[in-house]
Amino acid sequence: MSKQEQVLLYQFRDEEKLALTEKILHKLGVKTRVLPDNAYHEKVGYLLGSKGFRAATAHEDDGFVFPHEVMVLQNIRNKRLEQVLDALRGAGVEHIRFKAVVTPLNTLWTLRRLCETMQREHAAMQAMESRKKEDMEFLDENR
């Protein structure tokens, strides 16, 4: 028996995009859960409904805002991940930049930590791509 595939959706402001994303995922048999804005202080494992996780104790609102759409994918890997992402693209769902596959480690993180980690990784990848482009331009100029 395969484990239930699930996607957490966070910070989707465009209702049409959210509805289309959910529709495509449901057609693929993937369970979805739309997270409220204040879900950032909860552990990913809790948000997924995993056993052994409890709601975080009351937190003051510290003003954390993550202004990007996030997809957290549970039990979706490899070719299945490609299939899911291809289906979303094929249906016309605009690119969702921040995606994470659930791991044993990141289930222990708060959603905030996961978002901040993805943002750092994304910035590092963009910087690397920019340096690579600059290097290629330099080489082209000096041939």
Side-chain angles (χ1 to χ4, degrees):
M1 183 175 119
S2 63
K3 295 181 180 180
Q4 172 67 50
E5 296 172 329
Q6 180 176 192
V7 172
L8 302 178
L9 302 167
Y10 184 58
Q11 295 297 75
F12 279 67
R13 300 291 183 221
D14 181 335
E15 291 295 324
E16 287 180 26
K17 182 177 182 179
L18 176 61
L20 182 57
T21 300
E22 287 189 288
K23 178 182 174 184
I24 299 306
L25 292 171
H26 292 164
K27 278 186 180 179
L28 294 169
V30 178
K31 179 180 168 187
T32 61
R33 179 165 179 221
V34 179
L35 302 176
D37 290 347
N38 66 350
Y40 66 86
H41 65 269
E42 296 291 352
K43 301 252 183 196
V44 173
Y46 173 77
L47 295 170
L48 292 165
S50 300
K51 290 180 183 171
F53 288 90
R54 286 189 230 163
T57 54
H59 286 279
E60 282 186 38
D61 182 11
D62 62 3
F64 174 75
V65 175
F66 193 73
H68 308 286
E69 298 164 335
V70 175
M71 282 180 57
V72 180
L73 302 103
Q74 181 183 39
N75 299 319
I76 303 173
R77 288 182 163 64
N78 306 320
K79 288 188 181 201
R80 177 62 170 164
L81 178 59
E82 289 177 35
Q83 180 187 27
V84 168
L85 297 177
D86 285 346
L88 291 169
R89 268 190 301 272
V93 174
E94 194 177 311
H95 180 69
I96 301 163
R97 186 181 320 164
F98 293 94
K99 296 178 277 297
V101 172
V102 173
T103 67
L105 179 61
N106 67 22
T107 58
L108 303 174
W109 294 358
T110 61
L111 181 60
R112 178 182 183 158
R113 180 174 176 188
L114 181 62
C115 290
E116 290 172 340
T117 300
M118 285 190 293
Q119 191 164 32
R120 278 192 305 275
E121 289 173 354
H122 183 74
M125 286 177 19
Q126 282 187 315
M128 188 170 66
E129 286 297 319
S130 178
R131 283 191 301 273
K132 190 186 220 180
K133 183 179 177 186
E134 289 171 5
D135 290 347
M136 293 305 291
E137 289 171 356
F138 176 79
L139 289 172
D140 287 343
E141 291 171 3
N142 293 294
R143 284 192 181 159

